[in-house]
Structures are given as structure tokens and as C-alpha cells.
Amino acid sequence: MTRPLTSAERALATLRDLIMGGDLAPGARLGEVELAERLGVSRTPVREALSRLASEGLVELVPNRGARVATWTVAELEGVFDLRSVLEPQLTAHAVPNARPADVDALDDLARRMLAVGTPGPDQDLDALVPLNRAFHDRLVALAAHPALAAALAAAIHPPIVRRNFLTYDEESLRRSLAHHAEIVAALRAGDPEWARAVMTSHIANARAVMVRAARLQATDPATRTEETA
């Protein structure tokens, strides 16, 4: 029998969903009193949840100013994508000779499902897209069978940034990203590691352009600067 969640666990799960879903925007203040009222719990489980989310990189605890949703500077984002642009194309190339037909078929299925739920329109479901995208990339990393590169990539990737990718994409950038997955599958099926490497390089460059542009706009937004310096 599954035990009921504690107040702190419920607060943690709810706040994580609100942040990952974009309901609590980057830089938003997280007042314990307001959150306790919103979640229907006392301040203690909220405080515990914020501490846990800070350890996950979703929340920043600022001395004498309380908590806020984590933000990333342009330089920090560029650093993340610098690492990804080196590591992921290399891992994708390593995956090609190890991919069996069943592996390629599974990746093809993921790419098609991502296209179905991610394509802009009335049926778009970004919440469904995120785990499919993660499964696709995780499978490539597993096929690469290169633990050192995989560990370095895991340290570089921040799930909130990946989730925010999809919230930030314009329609053209999102369609391009979805098409990259299908082309990576084609490269795997053709047994061409250099083709796969090139497509993943473009895939990361596309995400980088979207995220860095959004971060620069946020950095120059007067409303954001007021929030940061208040």
C-alpha cells in the first residue's frame, strides 16, 4: 500500500510542477507566506520544499532576500551550450555503429511521437513532448556506450533549461528541432556517424540560439531589471 505524501512532499511536487511548467517565471519571488496560502499548508513544508528545489537548481536562495525561481545569465547559458555542442554530437556519432535495427525503430517511434505532440497547433502538448525528448536523447547516450562523455553531459544539462527550451521556441524553431530528431534517425539507419554528428550539432545550435536570445531580451527588459534590483 502506498503511503500518503507528507505536506512537504506535496509542496515540493506542486512547486516543481509550477516552475517546470512556467507558471512561476524565472526570477519570480517565492514568498513563504504567499506560497503556504496558495498550497494550503504551513510555512514549514514550504521552507523544506524550497530548500530541496534549491539543491535541484530550480530555486535560488538569496541571503536577506528570500527565495526566487532560478535564472540563468547569458554567460551561464552559453557555457551550458558550449559543453553540449561538443559532447552531444560526439556521443551521437558514437551511437551510430552500436545501434541495432530495434534501437533505430525505437528512436524512430519517439521522433514520430514528438512530432505528433510537439507540432504547433490545437493538439500541441509540450508537457508530453518533454519526456519523449528526454527519452530520445537518453537512448542515444546509452547507445554511445561512452561513460566518461555521458557523465560530463549529465553534469552540463539542467532539466529546467531543457523544459524552458520548448516554452521559449517560436514556431519555426520548434519545427526545426522536431525535424532534427527525424533526421538523426535517418542518419542512424544509414549508418553514417558524421551525418548524425552534423545534425546533432545543428540541433544544439538551434536550441542555443533560442535560449540565448530569450536570456538577452530578459536581461534588457526594464521590468526584469526592476525585479532584480528591488
Side-chain angles (χ1 to χ4, degrees), residues 144-166:
H146 202 302
L149 288 178
L153 178 62
I157 288 181
H158 299 277
I161 293 179
V162 175
R163 176 65 175 85
R164 206 160 291 154
N165 269 2
F166 294 121

Side-chain angles (χ1 to χ4, degrees), residues 76-99:
E76 288 169 336
L77 282 171
E78 288 182 330
V80 167
F81 283 106
D82 281 345
L83 286 170
R84 289 188 64 187
S85 66
V86 171
L87 297 170
E88 286 197 71
Q90 183 70 10
L91 283 163
T92 304
H94 282 311
V96 173
N98 298 329

Side-chain angles (χ1 to χ4, degrees), residues 6 18 34 37 46 49 61 70 105 140 151 204 206 219:
T6 66
L18 290 171
E34 294 83 355
E37 292 177 352
V46 169
L61 299 178
D105 288 344
L140 285 175
I204 301 304
N206 183 52

Side-chain angles (χ1 to χ4, degrees), residues 122-204:
D123 296 326
Q124 186 183 57
D125 185 353
L126 295 181
D127 288 333
L129 177 60
V130 173
L132 293 171
N133 178 74
R134 187 72 267 141
F136 185 93
H137 286 264
D138 284 350
R139 187 146 192 157
L140 285 175
V141 170
L143 284 171
H146 202 302
L149 288 178
L153 178 62
I157 288 181
H158 299 277
I161 293 179
V162 175
R163 176 65 175 85
R164 206 160 291 154
N165 269 2
F166 294 121
L167 295 173
T168 307
Y169 277 139
D170 54 72
E171 182 174 325
E172 182 180 356
S173 297
L174 181 53
R175 290 184 185 277
R176 188 182 301 119
S177 178
L178 294 170
H180 287 152
H181 294 115
E183 190 173 357
I184 288 168
V185 171
L188 286 164
R189 206 176 291 282
D192 190 330
E194 291 310 312
W195 182 10
R197 185 200 306 272
V199 180
M200 183 59 80
T201 298
S202 296
H203 187 62
I204 301 304

